[in-house]
Amino acid sequence: MEFRLLHYVIQIAAERNFSRAAEKLHIAQPSLSQQLSKLEKELGVLLFKRTTNSVELTYAGTVFVEKAQRIVDMTEQLRREMEDIADLRKGRIVVGTLPITGSHILPHVLPAFREAYPDIEIALVEEASATLESLTASGGTDVSLLTLPLIEPSLAYDPILEEEICLAVPRDHPLVADGAAEADVGALADEAFVMLKKGQGFRAIAVGLCRQAGFDPRVAVESTNIETVQSLVAAGMGIAFVPQMITRREHDGLQPVYLPLKGRPTRTLVIAYRKGRYLSNAAEAFISTFRDTMRRLGPSPDSRTPS
């Protein structure tokens, strides 16, 4: 069994489509199909159920992919450990990030890292929280920018930044008209909320704030994008909790009013990685650069905390 075939099967399983998998692997689709058929013949089992509209893993395929991912990950960790032993400065680090949060933070972090380590390649993977946690746990990323709490028990993390959560309301909201200095979450039980969809880390934080105040939020509309959430609030569709760094500064006609919340609740951003996974010098340097950059921009936790 050739090592590259492990990559082929993993990519087909991820894409559930031969054409997309072949494109990602930079090989022709007929060649990919032939290689898979050859492997299945060698193993004596079918790894995928093929129909005209879908490609699904068989039981044997599920077992194969799970073991193949472990082998590929262990091989990559071994390679990086040998590079570190040889004191090589060249390398590659795969960084997972939450799309919107990352767009506000990474423009500060990545230039600093590139300046200090110009020969280390950085590959970014942008996904929602739930997907990103799974990728990090399976070795699909070396480190990932996530928010607490983490659901995946196999992850450890470094706290990077604690930021305040505020309330976004339409400009004609009674809180604005009354000149309120802050908003009490407990007084928002009858409000309509604009929420991120399930699977987004900040959705869980927002729901948690409401439940701590004694109620379940009444969700008027959902979105996968926090920028869209703010636009919908500005358009009068409801109110929303928003991390402070993501609040809009520009005046484009679709900017809500932001109010501090009583008690000043916060969210914690972390750099997460799989427990027991070998962290290369490049990964350790990235975490250090991330923390140093955030410390210059604002308050930052200092200690490494397992999850």
Side-chain angles (χ1 to χ4, degrees):
M1 184 189 305
E2 298 181 41
F3 185 73
R4 62 187 173 85
L5 295 179
L6 302 183
H7 286 282
Y8 288 2
V9 175
I10 290 171
Q11 194 66 55
I12 295 170
E15 299 295 335
R16 294 292 199 273
N17 181 281
F18 277 90
S19 296
R20 289 197 299 269
E23 183 178 352
K24 293 284 183 66
L25 293 165
H26 304 292
I27 62 175
Q29 181 182 337
S31 176
L32 178 61
S33 298
Q34 290 170 6
Q35 293 294 326
L36 177 62
S37 296
K38 180 180 176 182
L39 175 61
E40 290 177 325
K41 184 176 181 180
E42 178 184 341
L43 296 174
V45 295
L46 286 177
L47 300 179
F48 295 95
K49 300 175 185 175
R50 305 162 177 82
T51 68
T52 55
N53 298 319
S54 66
V55 177
E56 299 294 336
L57 283 166
T58 63
Y59 173 74
T62 300
V63 174
F64 186 96
V65 168
E66 180 182 345
K67 297 294 192 300
Q69 286 176 329
R70 292 182 188 175
I71 294 169
V72 169
D73 185 47
M74 290 176 64
T75 303
E76 180 63 16
Q77 290 186 64
L78 177 61
R79 182 186 68 78
R80 294 182 182 186
E81 190 166 358
M82 294 302 102
E83 286 180 352
D84 286 348
I85 291 173
D87 197 27
L88 294 177
R89 288 182 59 83
K90 292 186 177 180
R92 183 174 187 266
I93 179 171
V94 181
V95 178
T97 179
L98 303 168
I100 301 299
T101 299
S103 71
H104 285 75
I105 292 180
L106 294 182
H108 299 286
V109 176
L110 296 188
F113 185 77
R114 177 55 55 85
E115 182 177 359
Y117 304 94
D119 295 323
I120 296 178
E121 177 189 352
I122 303 171
L124 291 180
V125 177
E126 296 182 300
E127 293 288 353
S129 301
T131 302
L132 201 53
E133 285 196 33
S134 296
L135 281 172
T136 309
S138 66
T141 69
D142 295 304
V143 296
S144 293
L145 174 64
L146 289 163
T147 58
L148 296 184
L150 301 181
I151 305 302
E152 175 56 59
S154 66
L155 297 182
Y157 61 84
D158 277 25
I160 295 296
L161 175 70
E162 191 168 334
E163 66 164 336
E164 191 171 324
I165 298 168
C166 60
L167 181 70
V169 300
R171 292 184 174 278
D172 60 357
H173 193 278
L175 284 171
V176 179
D178 294 343
E182 62 181 15
D184 185 346
V185 178
L188 305 177
D190 295 329
E191 296 278 355
F193 280 83
V194 182
M195 286 275 187
L196 289 172
K197 291 186 176 180
K198 293 179 180 179
Q200 306 274 348
F202 193 72
R203 159 78 177 236
I205 293 174
V207 171
L209 285 174
C210 294
R211 288 178 175 169
Q212 286 173 19
F215 68 93
D216 285 322
R218 180 167 62 88
V219 181
V221 64
E222 297 176 322
S223 173
T224 58
N225 190 312
I226 193 68
E227 297 289 359
T228 303
V229 167
Q230 293 179 87
S231 294
L232 291 173
V233 170
M237 293 296 296
I239 64 173
F241 297 118
V242 180
Q244 191 172 55
M245 77 168 67
I246 298 174
T247 57
R248 293 179 172 177
R249 301 295 191 269
E250 71 276 7
H251 297 274
D252 60 359
L254 283 177
Q255 182 182 10
V257 174
Y258 301 101
L259 296 171
L261 290 165
K262 185 178 181 179
R264 301 300 191 269
T266 62
R267 73 165 179 170
T268 302
L269 297 174
V270 301
I271 289 291
Y273 44 89
R274 194 180 67 207
K275 291 177 181 176
R277 178 181 175 86
Y278 174 75
L279 285 179
S280 66
N281 285 345
E284 292 280 11
F286 183 83
I287 293 172
S288 178
T289 301
F290 210 124
R291 182 186 289 110
D292 290 345
T293 302
M294 290 298 97
R295 188 178 290 118
R296 289 195 299 271
L297 295 175
S300 165
D302 291 327
S303 60
R304 175 169 294 185
T305 304
S307 64

